[in-house]
Each structure stands twice: as C-alpha cells, then as structure tokens.
Amino acid sequence: MVGAGHAGCEAALAGARLGLATALVTLDRTRVAEMSCNPAIGGLGKSQIVRELDALGGEMGRAADATAIQFRRLNASKGPAIRARRVQCDQADYAAWMRAAVEGCPGLELVEGHAVDLRVGPGGVEGVRLEDGRELLARCVVLTTGTFLGGCLHLGLECTPGGRYGEPAASGLTSALERLGFATGRLKTGTPARLRASSVRLEGLTPQPSDRVVLAFSHDHPPRPMPPGVACHLTRTTPETHAIIREGLSRSPLYTGRIRGRGPRYCPSIEDKVVRFADRDSHQVILEPTGRSQAVLYPNGISTSLPPDVQKRFVRSIPGLERAELIRPGYAVEYDFVPPTQLLPSLEARRLPGLFLAGQINGTSGYEEAAGQGLLAGVNAARKVRGQAPVVLGRHEAYLGVMVDDLVTRGTEEPYRMFSSRAELRLLLREDNAAARLQAWAERIGLLGEAVRAARRERLAQVEALVAQLGELREEGAPGRPSLARVLRRPEVRLAELAPRLGLEVSQDVLEQAEVRIKYEGYVARQLREAEKLSRLAGRPLPEGLDYHAIPGISNEIASKLTTLQPTSFAQAARVDGMTPAALMVLSFWLDHRGCVPRGTSVDGGEDA
C-alpha cells in the first residue's frame, strides 16, 4: 500500500488482518492518518459509511469513538434514513490511535520511503520502486496517495510542491501511470487557517455544546455519556469580511488562473462563496477545537488560499476573532487523480491486473469516503492474491456500494462527496442496520474475530426476536386489540416509552433497530419496488424540449444540465454528471403524473410522421 492516510491505513490493516504479508509505504512514518482538514468523523451521508466500515471490520469507527471530544446527532428529529452521527476528535489522539493500530498489527510493516515507479511484468503489477533504489515486490499494489500525487500548495500567488502543509509531494507516480496508459486529471481542495484559541473572544458567540449521550460508531461500543467542557461556537462573516476578500481577489490563485484543478462544489472556499453568492452579506463560521486542550481552533467555513496578510485582515473582521492569531494560514492543494472509470468495481485497474486504487486518487473527498475505498481495495487485493472472487457491494446493500458504483460507472470531474440523495434505497441503507445489512459479507470476508461475530449475531437475533414479539403482543383494553407492532407504526408512539411497561431488557441499539424496522417496513417495501422500476427505466424515451426546472424535487444543478443537454432517454440522463437515481425516480413520477408523451410517439400511440 502506498500512502498512509485514511485509505492506506484501512487497506493495510485489512490485508494484514487477512493473513497477507503487507507493507505500508509512507513519506513520513510520524504523520500516519493525519486529519489534514477538520478534525471530525461522520456527518450527513458519511456516518453510514463509517458504520458500514465497522460492520465489515474496519478501524475508523473504533478510532473515532476512542478519541471523541464532542458528539452531535444530526437530523435527530427527522426520518432514520437521513440521521447521522458526527464526532469532533482530538486530532493528535486520532492519528496516534491509527498509528498504534498499524504498528501493532502482526504481518504489517510500516516502510518510510518515496514510491516513484511501479514494477510491471507480463502478468501485471509486481511491486513498487522507491526513490532510494529499493524495490518492494508484491503480487498486488494499492495506491492511496491522497493529495500528495503531484501535489502543489497554493498560498496567494506562491506555489510550492507539497501534499500537505510542511510535507513534500509524491512525484514520479503520475508519469509512471501515464506511461502505462492511464488518463490522469487535476483536482483541488483547501483548508482554513488555524487559530490560537487564547486569542479568540468566545463571549457573545453562540455555543454549540455536545449532545449528552454519545452514540458510538462501532457496533461493539455501547452509548456513553460525553464528559462536559468541549463546545464549538458559531459566528458569521460580515460585509467588511467580504469587502476585504473582494479586494484580495487579484492575488488569489483561484481567480488569477494559477489553480486549474476543480474544487469541491459542496465545500467551496470563502472567496468562492463571496463571488458566487454575491447577494449574501454573511456566511456561517463554526469554531471547532482540534483537541482536548482546546488550544487550537479550526474555523470551519472559511477555507482559503488568499495571501496570509489578506487572511489575517478578513479573519479579524469576523465577530469574536478581532484579535485572532493565525498559527498557520489556510492554503489550497492541487493534486493529480486517476478518473475512476478506468477501474473495475473491485477497484482494480482494468489495464493493469493487481493494481488497486483507493481514496482521493479516485477523485473523492473526505476521510470517510477514502477509508471506505481503502478497506474494499485492501480486502480485494488480499482476495486476488488468494485466488478468491472480489467483494463488490451492491447499491441496495451499502453506501459503499453506491459510492463505488458511482465512481466506476459515472466517474467524476470534481471531488466526489457522499450524500444520502445519491442512494435510491436510503430508507434501507440506514445507520442503525449497517451490521444487519452487511452481516453475510462480514462473515465471508473474515476481518472480525469470532467473539465479535458471535456478539453481533446475538444482537441481530435479539432484534428479530423483539420484532416477532411485538407482532404477537396485543395492546390491552384497545378496541380490536391491535398488535403492539401496529401500535408502534403510529408516529407519536416510541418503543423506548413502551419498553419499561413491557419489561423489555434489551439495549438502546436493539430497541432502535426494532422500532425502525416496524415503523418503516411499508416504506422500505415501496422503495424496493421503486428501485425495481428504476432498473427497467433505462430504455424509456424522454420528451423533447422538456424544461427540467419545472419539475419539483430535482436540484437546480441537475435541472440545468438536463435542460441544456436534452437527453433522449433515461439511460442517457443517468450518465449526466451529477445525476442521482433519486432524481431519475422523481423524473419518472413527474412524467407519469403529467402524462407526458415521449418523442417519436403520437397521442394515440401511433408513430409520428
């Protein structure tokens, strides 16, 4: 494995835990699993990935649980399909946990070195060559290079080679891949300045405290109380902030053509926000502690690559930050990636057997997306060495399956981020049932020890037994005596309130899974029918001249692309960049409801002249 970020650590741990001699190559062995951007794990559309990772035997969930300093349940009042967990972690503790996991894993060797080339033979990849002349022979290689592949750090009009602040870039591998026939591209991401907490005035800002109870990412960790003391704080940019930023655009690498790579649309820099949303006079900024000591704050929302003097001025124009000291400035990093349509669903390269790619090299952004790909690539590399079939998760089985399918079939022209809207079966792909959904795969892969597997089997059996019990028990004194399962389908009824009266002695996790199973059984069945319909839609023609902006439920971004391109069929629409299965389903429903006539047919069903 080349690269010891979130993808590389999961890939290496998976390979070694499956019994294969594994080497993890990194430029600096002291910088394993660094949280290069905000110190958080989870969030909307991402926490499902972490839960799925844990269900399959990954490490990220355990590391996040062990190093959490603040926890929030997102969308707690909404439906279970879009609820999410998010933890602030102690940045240093998280990296230390993962490094200890890597260094303590039998069969896994952490190798410090700079991989510059691939060794290739008649049957495929045979290993990697390091800059110092060493060769590491291997039957499979996993590239998880993050932002280091051809990395360039932009700070104002200065550009220096690097993959992360204070660290060199990885050179050589891009030309090696291109020499082997791979297409490559260029992407960009960024990060804000880090602030000295003692220089920030928090009085008068809106505190955002932790939830009292932490719901663990790992299925093997029970809920626990969160120690008080660590809170985020909310502030906002001001018209003065925006004026300073506009004045500095002539020295911005984004607006002077220095940066050519495309950045993440859903996490733009503050200069991008000011230009694109010129009608807004403020944007939210979340001050997030990066550790238990709370000595350093991460100002989430003001990622920038403006010169340091401009950064200092606009930061100090924000309420609470009038005297803020910048420990280090924000910057943008531009890096090479390999368009992922060149990969098989196993994440193995189509043109070079034995080579697997995972993480930002595939065009994704985010720790969680990288870690998920890393685990799958590591597992499949190990299975290839053993002559076993690869693990390919379906879109109906996991967010991991949705992500990989999106990448290898549609590709991406910008950093890909997971959203719940990308999953057409999101009611089925919930946080609470990740272990149940992936139990069969977990057993087949074999990353979990027998004691863990037995404990998880027992919890799943408890859920099944509880669902069956609630289907048999009747509500006393009610007309017709409906089953408690039927009573539980009422929105206002909660199983946690019924449990004490019924004498149910099961964990909160089991109660939640049983309740969601019962409440949403009908909705899940309907969603499965809708997905079946979607698979049959590919050949359906689309009307000519359709104004997609008139269709409620389709985003402006997708509507604009569809209106411009005017696809002739659902199959063609599905290939439009950014299109989601959920949007296709909305389009199908709208056409059915409006009785739209596809091009090429007349109202009476006969062919047009």
Side-chain angles (χ1 to χ4, degrees):
M1 285 70 184
V2 178
H6 301 281
C9 287
E10 294 288 358
L13 288 168
R17 287 168 176 171
L18 289 174
L20 279 293
T22 304
L24 177 57
V25 181
T26 179
L27 290 167
D28 184 348
R29 64 185 302 129
T30 68
R31 304 296 295 271
V32 170
E34 284 280 324
M35 289 178 140
S36 308
C37 210
N38 64 317
I41 297 293
L44 300 177
K46 294 170 174 279
S47 66
Q48 288 91 337
I49 289 179
V50 185
R51 292 279 283 174
E52 290 168 0
L53 263 172
D54 184 76
L56 295 173
E59 191 68 26
M60 176 172 271
R62 289 194 285 268
D65 290 344
T67 60
I69 58 175
Q70 195 206 41
F71 171 83
R72 290 183 68 82
R73 188 82 188 271
L74 308 179
N75 286 341
S77 62
K78 298 184 179 180
I82 55 173
R83 291 175 195 157
R85 302 155 206 236
R86 184 181 187 272
V87 298
Q88 290 286 122
C89 296
D90 184 295
Q91 205 166 21
D93 286 355
Y94 183 92
W97 174 283
M98 292 300 291
R99 181 180 175 187
V102 166
E103 292 183 334
C105 182
L108 173 53
E109 183 179 353
L110 189 60
V111 177
E112 196 169 70
H114 182 185
V116 293
D117 203 355
L118 296 170
R119 174 168 169 154
V120 178
V125 74
E126 293 182 348
V128 297
R129 293 190 178 96
L130 304 185
E131 189 177 43
D132 60 10
R134 286 179 292 169
E135 290 192 339
L136 302 178
L137 305 184
R139 291 175 61 185
C140 284
V141 171
V142 183
L143 297 183
T144 62
T145 48
T147 59
F148 285 76
L149 194 64
C152 182
L153 305 182
H154 292 271
L155 184 55
L157 299 182
E158 294 182 7
C159 178
T160 56
R164 190 163 49 209
Y165 190 83
E167 296 182 68
S171 58
L173 279 179
T174 300
S175 58
L177 289 166
E178 291 173 343
R179 189 176 67 247
L180 292 166
F182 288 90
T184 63
R186 201 84 170 141
L187 294 176
K188 166 258 176 189
T189 189
T191 190
R194 302 305 192 269
L195 309 179
R196 194 178 309 282
S198 59
S199 68
V200 173
R201 177 183 55 79
L202 298 178
E203 297 81 9
L205 302 185
T206 304
Q208 193 178 60
S210 176
D211 291 354
R212 292 181 179 178
V213 177
V214 180
L215 298 179
F217 278 113
S218 176
H219 294 80
D220 309 310
H221 296 163
R224 69 187 192 282
M226 171 60 77
V230 176
C232 297
H233 286 79
L234 307 182
T235 184
R236 300 190 71 87
T237 61
T238 66
E240 182 188 357
T241 311
H242 298 188
I244 295 168
I245 290 169
R246 281 191 288 268
E247 289 171 14
L249 291 180
S250 61
R251 298 164 64 199
S252 163
L254 277 176
Y255 290 93
T256 54
R258 297 295 182 98
I259 293 177
R260 297 184 179 178
R262 294 199 45 186
R265 185 184 322 169
Y266 304 102
C267 188
S269 66
I270 186 60
E271 50 264 45
D272 232 359
K273 291 179 188 177
V274 168
V275 172
R276 286 166 54 188
F277 309 106
D279 57 321
R280 296 182 59 176
D281 59 8
S282 74
H283 294 280
Q284 181 174 267
V285 181
I286 309 174
L287 303 177
E288 302 175 341
T290 63
R292 298 180 199 279
S293 68
Q294 304 180 62
V296 179
L297 296 179
Y298 177 95
N300 197 337
I302 53 171
S303 171
T304 184
S305 55
L306 287 165
D309 62 304
V310 179
Q311 290 189 40
K312 184 176 180 179
R313 286 180 61 215
F314 85 65
V315 165
R316 290 188 169 186
S317 70
I318 298 171
L321 309 184
E322 294 86 354
R323 297 184 178 180
E325 297 175 19
L326 279 60
I327 294 175
R328 81 167 197 219
Y331 61 92
V333 56
E334 197 176 13
Y335 57 95
D336 296 328
F337 84 110
V338 176
T341 50
Q342 299 170 93
L343 304 179
L344 296 166
S346 62
L347 298 180
E348 184 179 14
R350 295 177 184 275
R351 64 171 54 249
L352 186 57
L355 179 67
F356 293 77
L357 278 65
Q360 285 176 285
I361 192 173
N362 288 341
T364 60
S365 71
Y367 309 144
E368 302 83 358
E369 290 90 339
Q373 293 171 72
L375 180 130
L376 292 174
V379 165
N380 284 334
R383 292 176 73 85
K384 184 176 182 68
V385 169
R386 288 180 166 170
Q388 298 171 319
V391 171
V392 177
L393 302 176
R395 297 184 71 94
H396 65 290
E397 293 178 300
Y399 269 74
L400 290 172
V402 172
M403 173 176 62
V404 172
D405 183 59
D406 281 350
L407 292 171
V408 303
T409 60
R410 296 193 178 111
T412 186
E413 296 178 356
E414 63 187 27
Y416 175 101
R417 178 181 174 182
M418 177 51 69
F419 294 103
S420 57
S421 61
R422 296 189 188 274
E424 57 272 33
L425 295 178
R426 54 185 173 273
L427 263 181
L428 186 62
L429 308 182
R430 306 183 307 272
E431 276 189 330
D432 65 273
N433 68 349
R437 284 188 279 116
L438 297 173
Q439 181 188 20
W441 278 115
E443 297 274 359
R444 194 180 310 173
I445 292 170
L447 280 173
L448 300 173
E450 177 52 39
V452 172
R453 294 203 304 273
R456 292 187 179 185
R457 286 190 214 111
E458 173 60 26
R459 280 197 298 276
L460 294 177
Q462 289 177 5
V463 173
E464 296 294 336
L466 182 54
V467 170
Q469 182 183 3
L470 292 169
E472 294 171 359
L473 290 174
R474 303 286 163 179
E475 185 181 34
E476 294 184 9
R481 295 171 60 85
S483 70
L484 288 178
R486 187 161 185 172
V487 172
L488 195 57
R489 290 192 179 99
R490 301 171 190 163
E492 71 277 7
V493 179
R494 291 287 178 265
L495 185 53
E497 297 168 2
L498 293 176
R501 288 190 291 152
L502 299 172
L504 299 176
E505 296 183 359
V506 292
S507 68
Q508 179 183 340
D509 183 45
V510 170
L511 285 175
E512 180 179 352
Q513 287 187 58
E515 178 175 349
V516 174
R517 276 266 301 272
I518 291 168
K519 280 187 182 296
Y520 292 89
E521 183 180 17
Y523 296 104
V524 169
R526 185 174 69 184
Q527 201 168 73
L528 288 170
R529 290 194 298 271
E530 291 169 357
E532 215 173 296
K533 178 182 178 181
L534 192 62
S535 68
R536 298 194 301 267
L537 278 177
R540 180 180 178 179
L542 287 169
E544 193 171 0
L546 189 59
D547 179 9
Y548 292 89
H549 288 284
I551 304 175
I554 291 183
S555 70
N556 286 332
E557 170 201 339
I558 294 176
S560 296
K561 290 181 179 180
L562 292 173
T563 301
T564 301
L565 297 171
Q566 287 294 314
T568 60
S569 69
F570 270 79
Q572 193 177 35
R575 292 192 292 273
V576 171
D577 183 42
M579 175 57 77
T580 67
L584 288 173
M585 190 60 70
V586 168
L587 175 58
S588 172
F589 288 156
W590 189 84
L591 291 174
D592 289 345
H593 179 68
R594 298 294 293 265
C596 290
V597 180
R599 68 187 79 195
T601 60
S602 62
V603 175
D604 63 3
E607 294 299 317
D608 284 337

